[in-house]
Amino acid sequence: MKVFLTGTEKLEKMNHEMWTTIHNITRLDAEILIGNYRGFDQLALVFLTILRYPKVTVYETGSNLCFGYPLVFVGQYPAQDIFMSKQADYMLAVYDGKSRGVRANLTRMPPDRIRIIRV
């Protein structure tokens, strides 16, 4: 199973629900697909690094920040989000109601395969 993690770039810290949900995804032994943009992506990558969770692939968004995980470049934004949406079975979206990127990602996945955490 592959899970695409996406979230608002304005997020400054994760809350208990986010930590718990990501931890539950790792307990399912899922492959995690994630970008490396500021905000949620980088916070989630720090958390996954702390957990030492090995099944993570980072898709390039302009910086080479990968936290030690494999880094994949599939083209300029939003190419990596489109690619991850097509590869993923499920999506975890952390959404503030404003992020255009998250809003676009929500349209790329069937609603019954998305878990949204609203912030």
Side-chain angles (χ1 to χ4, degrees):
M1 171 177 56
K2 295 180 182 180
V3 180
F4 171 22
L5 303 187
T6 184
T8 177
E9 63 275 3
K10 298 193 187 277
L11 192 69
E12 294 181 11
K13 64 181 181 176
M14 293 196 340
N15 63 30
H16 181 73
E17 183 180 9
M18 293 173 210
W19 294 326
T20 302
T21 304
I22 293 170
H23 195 243
N24 288 341
I25 291 168
T26 65
R27 287 182 181 162
L28 295 171
D29 199 36
E31 181 179 339
I32 294 175
L33 314 176
I34 189 168
N36 62 356
Y37 202 59
R38 69 180 173 265
F40 173 75
D41 289 358
Q42 289 183 9
L43 293 168
L45 283 165
V46 167
F47 182 60
L48 290 162
T49 301
I50 290 168
L51 291 176
R52 295 185 179 171
Y53 190 68
K55 296 176 109 178
V56 177
T57 303
V58 178
Y59 289 82
E60 177 64 51
T61 59
S63 73
N64 290 320
L65 202 58
C66 65
F67 296 84
Y69 290 112
L71 185 65
V72 177
F73 181 77
V74 292
Q76 298 299 322
Y77 179 82
Q80 69 278 5
D81 283 355
I82 293 167
F83 181 82
M84 288 185 283
S85 296
K86 289 179 180 178
Q87 297 297 311
D89 301 301
Y90 298 96
M91 176 188 293
L92 170 63
V94 173
Y95 189 42
D96 61 1
K98 299 173 188 173
S99 172
R100 290 179 291 172
V102 176
R103 184 172 37 243
N105 287 336
L106 291 171
T107 67
R108 296 184 180 116
M109 180 79 56
D112 63 337
R113 296 184 173 257
I114 300 171
R115 166 75 160 88
I116 301 174
I117 298 175
R118 299 197 186 274
V119 291

